[in-house]
Amino acid sequence: MTRKIALIWLVCLCGIAIFGAMLAPYDPMTNHENAVAQAPSLTHFLGTDGLGRDVFSRLLAGAGRTLGISAFSTLLAIGIGGTMGIIAPLLGKFGDSSLVLVMNTLLAFPPLLMALILLTLLGRSDMALIVAVGISQVGMTAQVIRGVTRSILGEDYILGARACGARWWHIAWVHIRRGIAPTLGAQLGVVFCYCLFNSAGLNFLGVGVGIGVPEWGAMLAEGRSIFRTAPHVAIFTGLLLMSVVIAVNRIIDD
Amino acid sequence: MQRLLFALLTVWLALTASFFLLRLIPGDALSAQLDLGGASRAEIAQARADMGLDDPPIAQYIRYMSGVVRGDFGYSLIRLFPVSDLIAQRFAPTALLALFAMSLAVIWGVGTGILATLNGFWGIMGRGMMTLSLATPLYWTGTLAIIAFSAYLPYSGVDEWQAWILPILVLAFHSMGGIARVAFANIQAVKSLSFVIVARSKGLHPRTIMRRHILRVALLPVLPIISTQFGFLLGGAVITETLFVRVGIGRLLLDSVIAQDYPVVQGIVALSAMIVAFLSLITDYCAYLADPRLRWMDNNTP
């Protein structure tokens, strides 16, 4: 039951991410000068922020950027990290140890710190944000996938396949790909949540998108600075962010 | 011993990678700063030459690494202080915050994890708290805490002890979820292992079984999580220190990144890589001491 609700909510969010800007009742960038920092009302469904912009419209318009950046960085992290994790145990002792060393080096940087450094390197753009946040999750993904791959390689049916003369790419494609699918699915959700937190976090710190661009992390930062006059900005934005993560976690729980 | 070498190798690789990555960025704080100050091109070039920024990268790298071994991380490009002094000045507030938050998070997390395995009301509470902790970003819980308690408690600065309460609680709540999840999953898994069934059939009290047999084994995987969570706390320090307007390493890092002051960024990267590597060594060793099965394997492998 809760699973069904979570699924429906995620589908709705995908719709909002794509069509959000069109659904918004107001222009997300317009300042309503006579309605600054207003609490929720009938005209402004979720109130207005410190510059009199409609919070509901900004949340809708920002969904595409926030969720899109997280989704693409997730794909990047899973793509690189997953490949590393599957390949490593197949490469023999030396290849495996060197890849493990690479993973450990990546893991030596706390993710947010690494993303912050990469962002300086790449400049400030959506693309840079995607790459920075994605790369910072590669180490963890690779480690998890490597663990599962290793345990699959220890199974008897792999020994059987080897005895039949199967090549490593056959084992990778047929046996590991199937065995790894559930873990990969769960990992997709976990990494997505981290990417969402970190990309919004970088925007919260003010090193991501430009000033005033509707994006949830940046909106939270605005909400933090005007928490005395308009606490609803931070509260609603955070609730939305939380609902996404809870829904994703519910889906990957089984 | 082998592990120690591996850890040192990791730290060295992390330092090397970040050194060359940071050198790739076009422009640096020095040029930008002098430009703003109206310095002429010749003066900028002179300053760069004085700091050795025009030497070939390999020469800079060798000089830097030989400095690091002696504990010298070079000079900040704009603050005119040695990096090690800048970090040392700000280390205590960040380290203390992380330490307090982590200690609280371990107790809170393990408690929540045990609670979550129960049936009925308390189980639901435990699982709910775990989910909430995992699903809320640090910067939001922090903002909520400020909204709710700013009237009663000071929340910025590091001078008054009351100003530490909110940051510690918020950080601990943030790290608690990950610990609770691992504890919860492991207690569930260990509950059905054969030695627990033996203990139960001997007629031991459920609480004794939990304390002496289940928790000992089930809480071991929590140890490595603590070292990763500590790494997150260092990353989280950037957010906490911005959120609660505190002095510390995180704030220094953010300012240095924005100002492109690489030597400082590099120094903080080095520090965090060392801390993470050191902690994972320690947690590995503790796991070895605590789990009789690991010791048994070591003594009995041919």
Side-chain angles (χ1 to χ4, degrees), chain A residues 108 113, chain B residues 11 15 64 73 87-88 91 94 234 249 264-278:
Chain A
L113 202 141
Chain B
V11 171
L15 267 177
Y64 185 78
F73 291 88
I87 292 180
F91 187 68
T94 306
L234 286 174
I249 301 280
V264 180
V265 176
Q266 179 91 47
I268 296 174
V269 167
L271 183 73
S272 90
M274 283 181 222
I275 293 178
V276 171
F278 178 66

Side-chain angles (χ1 to χ4, degrees), chain B residues 246-262:
Chain B
R246 298 166 60 89
V247 226
I249 301 280
R251 193 65 223 179
L252 178 67
L253 176 70
L254 186 63
D255 293 344
S256 307
V257 160
I258 291 172
Q260 300 196 335
D261 192 351
Y262 327 127

Side-chain angles (χ1 to χ4, degrees), chain B residues 93-94 97 155-161 163-164 241 244-248:
Chain B
T94 306
L97 180 64
Y155 59 89
S156 63
V158 291
D159 300 330
E160 306 159 274
W161 67 268
W164 289 69
E241 283 161 13
F244 292 103
V245 202
R246 298 166 60 89
V247 226

